[in-house]
Amino acid sequence: MSRIGVAFDKARADGRALLVGCMPAGFPTVQGSIAAMTAMVEAGVDVIEVEIPYSDPVMDGPVIQKASDIALAGGVRTADTMRIIEAVAATGAPVVTMTYWNPVERYGVDVFARDLASAGGTGLITPDLIPDEADEWLAASDAHGLDRTFLVSPSSTDARLAMTVQHCRGFVYATAVMGVTGARASTSDAAPTLVSRVRAVTDLPVGVGLGVGTGVQAGTVAGYADGVIVGSALVRCVLDAPTEAEGLAALRTLSGELAEGVRNPTR
Amino acid sequence: MSADALAPVASPQPDSAGHFGRFGGRFVPEALVAALDELDGAWRTAMADESFRAEFAALLRDYAGTPSLLYEARRFSAKVGARVLLKREDLNHTGAHKVRNVLGQALLTKRMGKTRVIAETGAGQHGVATATAAALFDLECVVYMGEVDTERQALNVARMRMLGATVVPVTNGSRTLKDAMNEAMRDWVANVDETHYLIGTAAGPHPFPAMVRDFVRGIGDEARQQCLDLTGALPDAVTACVGGGSNALGIFHAFVGDEAVRLYGFEAGGDGVATSRHAASITGGSAGVLHGARTYVLQDADGQTLESHSISAGLDYPGVGPEHAWLHDTGRATYLPVTDDEAMAAFELLCRTEGIIPAIESAHALAGTLTLAPKLAAELGREPTIVVNLSGRGDKDVHTAGDYFGILDKER
């Protein structure tokens, strides 16, 4: 079983959901992003999702767009992301990578998979790669023992849902709302329905993302999902802080609240 | 155009998932797949439906003013050294070929029961065309436009608002066409139930490239017949400018099966493809994934999209429709870059010899034709006949051209 699968099982045994925290690689700098992700782990985030910054992130809202732009303007390269993954994996927390497809294709799909595996990454979340177009990634992830997380959406038909989860390994990413990343005032009504539709076709753990930003929301999602995925709200801690130290402090506080939330599921 | 002009031809089609060889396909969030499938189904059903085809043909005839003329440009021909026939898409309602695509997609929007259209625009031409169709069909219309473009094309922003559209300036990324397209995709993901994304060119995820090509293919169907009527033969070459590439595919498609007819697409070479300031995705880019399809893309070593440059806002885009990528790979069409300066020289030449002010986009096709003609004449041993797609009129470009030629009176 994959390292992510083991982590999900452990959380399930403890009667809680797994907390996945996302941060773009190289934001605000390479060292700064390692410090941020390390702080998240220390404050209770179970799994770190490292997003490779991309020039055209169509699934991301304004907060992650801005952070990605800052990372790219700072000159971060795909090779730097591999170093960041290695450094964060050294904390002991599983590290999953989120990436739009073109940077992988440009790097070379098999070489990318090989380097990701040797950096200690567990697998990829691919927001703009659907299984229909993923032959090369299916082969490379098999060859290098990596997990594959494709997204499912409230608009997915039953047939697509079944097809998509069949190609997933590690966990399934359920997008809670029809929309892009970004914290929202209320959590989605569509998400619980989507999660039960996924459960009807797979035993894989289900993580829910898009729009979760507070400890209370994390508790709500933990009530029906195996994993709670938080991105923009964490990124905003760093983005809005006047200094790096204050950003890290805010990040620790929010990570702690979220970690508390996933331990107190609202059922 | 007759309804029959929409009938399938024997030229190659993409596979059922929209792949043109290794290009095309769907690289999109799963959230959009259901909408793309719905659109694919609606398009296929509509094209097989005689009443839809008749309605589309009537709109093109009575509202858009097609078939557009095929005009023999004698004074321009004398300068070129070829018999040049201009496909006058500049005379269509809204001033470009784009009206054909928006009318087709607006009809489909109605058929799917959707009430809102969104669009991206660079120069504003597609935005104006979409706003026009939205007014005609009583659809809510939101147009995303890079902030940089809203400033340099203020008149088109006003035109869209006049037509009842909401124009949203896009302030992220490079604040140009590609970022407007990103923002339109984000809107679509969030509002897909009631919204159709009316993409302005033969790019994006399947079925857009093949569908848009189908809606604009009347250009070539008409031109082919008009050329036969006028000259008694097919042309030696067909030329067009290529940004996203809808006008070029529109005129190429009818000729793809005519092996003796050479097809040339002229890309925006900006300051030259050897510089970093150009928009020539095929001649100066590499295979990659952008905006939902695999195609040629201007990108760096890490797959980050590079900013494009062209004096023509309509060609200023770092990707190209996947069917062009495939026509390039198979060798069926030839793609060459044309610099800003070459395009503007051809722009001036057409103004002075024919009294026609072309869009700067279309001036790229004219410039490429000027270079091509002597080579083709030498190869054939006679004067060649070349059909040039004059895809749009230049009214929108008068300020840019005035600046370029230094003919504007100084502001007091």
Side-chain angles (χ1 to χ4, degrees):
Chain A
M1 181 185 280
S2 71
R3 288 175 59 205
I4 289 269
V6 172
F8 270 106
D9 274 4
K10 188 168 175 303
R12 202 178 268 181
D14 293 347
R16 68 174 182 95
L18 198 72
L19 177 61
V20 181
C22 174
M23 193 63 60
F27 165 73
T29 60
V30 170
Q31 282 314 313
S33 64
I34 294 172
M37 295 179 208
T38 306
M40 285 156 65
V41 173
E42 289 167 359
V45 175
D46 299 301
V47 172
I48 298 295
E49 176 187 332
V50 178
E51 177 164 346
I52 299 184
Y54 177 52
S55 52
D56 297 275
V58 295
M59 264 300 280
D60 282 307
V63 172
I64 293 182
Q65 281 175 45
K66 188 158 185 204
S68 298
D69 282 349
I70 290 169
L72 289 172
V76 68
R77 306 283 311 266
T78 307
D80 296 320
T81 303
M82 297 292 182
R83 286 201 289 127
I84 292 166
I85 291 165
E86 195 161 11
V88 178
T91 65
V95 178
V96 61
T97 303
M98 191 276 216
T99 182
Y100 292 90
W101 192 241
N102 200 46
V104 180
E105 192 152 299
R106 188 68 173 158
Y107 197 95
V109 179
D110 190 69
V111 183
F112 184 96
R114 185 198 67 197
D115 289 358
L116 181 66
S118 77
T122 60
L124 286 187
I125 300 168
T126 51
D128 65 347
L129 183 75
I130 52 178
D132 318 54
E133 300 283 354
D135 286 356
E136 218 180 332
W137 167 234
L138 298 180
S141 51
D142 283 347
H144 299 282
L146 293 169
D147 289 337
R148 299 186 289 255
T149 295
F150 295 105
L151 274 53
V152 294
S153 153
S155 67
S156 303
T157 60
D158 288 344
R160 283 201 62 81
L161 212 59
M163 184 279 287
T164 302
V165 301
Q166 192 200 326
H167 288 94
C168 287
R169 187 160 57 210
F171 71 104
V172 179
Y173 191 131
T175 54
V177 291
M178 293 299 289
V180 296
T181 59
R184 288 166 174 82
S186 58
T187 47
S188 147
D189 301 337
T193 312
L194 177 59
V195 171
S196 44
R197 289 176 63 211
V198 175
R199 292 206 195 286
V201 286
T202 182
D203 293 331
L204 282 176
V206 188
V208 168
L210 298 195
V212 184
T214 67
V216 173
Q217 289 174 333
T220 305
V221 175
Y224 57 84
D226 305 300
V228 179
I229 306 170
V230 182
S232 296
L234 291 165
V235 173
R236 190 185 279 283
C237 292
V238 180
L239 199 59
D240 290 351
T243 65
E244 196 160 328
E246 287 167 90
L248 290 177
L251 201 53
R252 284 176 197 278
T253 305
L254 180 59
S255 298
E257 276 173 29
L258 294 165
E260 187 66 22
V262 298
R263 282 166 177 78
N264 293 287
T266 319
R267 293 194 206 273
Chain B
M1 183 168 80
S2 73
D4 281 338
L6 285 170
V9 289
S11 65
Q13 297 290 327
D15 71 15
S16 61
H19 297 106
F20 296 90
R22 64 182 171 131
F23 298 106
R26 280 182 184 168
F27 294 82
V28 293
E30 168 67 20
L32 290 179
V33 171
L36 291 169
D37 280 343
E38 179 193 13
L39 180 62
D40 190 30
W43 163 56
R44 286 175 198 280
T45 309
M47 293 311 263
D49 178 348
E50 191 56 46
S51 71
F52 177 86
R53 286 161 52 179
E55 192 178 359
F56 184 44
L59 268 174
L60 287 174
R61 183 188 64 231
D62 304 334
Y63 184 74
T66 70
S68 61
L69 302 174
L70 187 72
Y71 164 71
E72 179 157 11
R74 291 197 173 79
R75 287 199 357 104
F76 184 73
S77 292
K79 300 281 186 188
V80 174
R83 186 174 185 187
V84 175
L85 308 176
L86 300 178
K87 182 60 176 163
R88 297 291 309 274
E89 289 292 296
D90 60 318
L91 297 178
N92 297 347
H93 181 46
T94 72
H97 73 285
K98 290 190 177 288
V99 69
R100 298 177 186 258
N101 172 40
V102 298
L103 288 175
Q105 289 198 51
L107 269 181
L108 265 190
T109 305
K110 279 288 193 192
R111 244 176 118 93
M112 290 186 292
K114 297 192 173 188
T115 55
R116 178 175 181 264
V117 288
I118 56 172
E120 82 296 338
T121 197
Q125 290 307 97
H126 174 59
V128 169
T130 304
T132 300
L136 180 66
F137 287 92
D138 191 22
L139 297 163
E140 185 190 345
C141 179
V142 175
V143 179
Y144 291 94
M145 188 169 184
E147 192 179 41
V148 170
D149 293 328
T150 60
E151 286 159 11
R152 60 183 175 184
Q153 300 286 345
L155 198 60
N156 269 342
V157 173
R159 288 172 79 193
M160 289 183 263
R161 289 182 176 148
M162 209 86 77
L163 291 160
T166 302
V167 179
V168 181
V170 175
T171 56
N172 45 32
S174 60
R175 297 180 292 137
T176 59
L177 179 56
K178 83 172 178 69
D179 307 285
M181 203 153 173
N182 292 339
E183 210 51 36
M185 293 273 248
R186 294 182 186 115
D187 179 317
W188 203 30
V189 173
N191 301 295
V192 69
D193 281 347
E194 76 278 8
T195 301
H196 173 61
Y197 179 15
L198 212 158
I199 293 185
T201 190
H206 178 67
F208 283 102
M211 180 183 75
V212 172
R213 194 260 335 266
D214 262 12
F215 287 143
V216 297
R217 57 166 288 187
I219 306 169
D221 292 328
E222 293 163 16
R224 190 175 181 280
Q225 190 58 50
Q226 288 166 325
C227 184
L228 286 170
D229 293 345
L230 185 73
T231 71
L234 291 173
D236 297 301
V238 175
T239 67
C241 65
V242 177
S246 66
N247 91 83
L249 284 175
I251 199 159
F252 285 177
H253 194 63
F255 295 97
V256 166
D258 300 320
E259 283 178 20
V261 180
R262 296 160 172 80
L263 306 175
Y264 288 91
F266 295 108
E267 295 194 297
D271 292 347
V273 284
T275 73
S276 61
R277 286 172 54 78
H278 64 83
S281 312
I282 295 177
T283 44
S286 51
V289 170
L290 179 65
H291 291 146
R294 183 178 287 114
T295 184
Y296 283 100
V297 178
L298 299 181
Q299 57 182 327
D300 71 11
D302 281 345
Q304 308 292 345
T305 311
L306 295 171
E307 281 183 35
S308 54
H309 165 80
S310 169
I311 191 168
S312 145
L315 303 181
D316 198 351
Y317 177 66
V320 64
E323 188 169 357
H324 282 297
W326 175 74
L327 287 171
H328 168 74
D329 268 21
T330 60
R332 179 61 190 96
T334 303
Y335 296 85
L336 297 166
V338 163
T339 63
D340 286 354
D341 289 341
E342 290 168 328
M344 293 314 289
F347 176 96
E348 185 177 36
L349 184 63
L350 192 74
C351 289
R352 299 298 172 87
T353 55
E354 298 289 346
I356 297 170
I357 301 177
I360 297 176
E361 290 80 9
S362 317
H364 285 71
L366 297 167
T369 304
L370 277 162
T371 311
L372 170 68
K375 292 176 188 159
L376 203 52
E379 195 185 320
L380 297 168
R382 60 172 169 77
E383 179 187 61
T385 300
I386 304 177
V387 170
V388 182
N389 195 9
L390 198 70
S391 55
R393 69 178 180 222
D395 306 42
K396 70 185 173 61
D397 294 319
V398 166
H399 196 86
T400 304
D403 260 356
Y404 181 87
F405 293 114
I407 55 172
L408 298 175
D409 289 332
K410 295 268 182 291
E411 282 177 36
R412 284 172 232 274

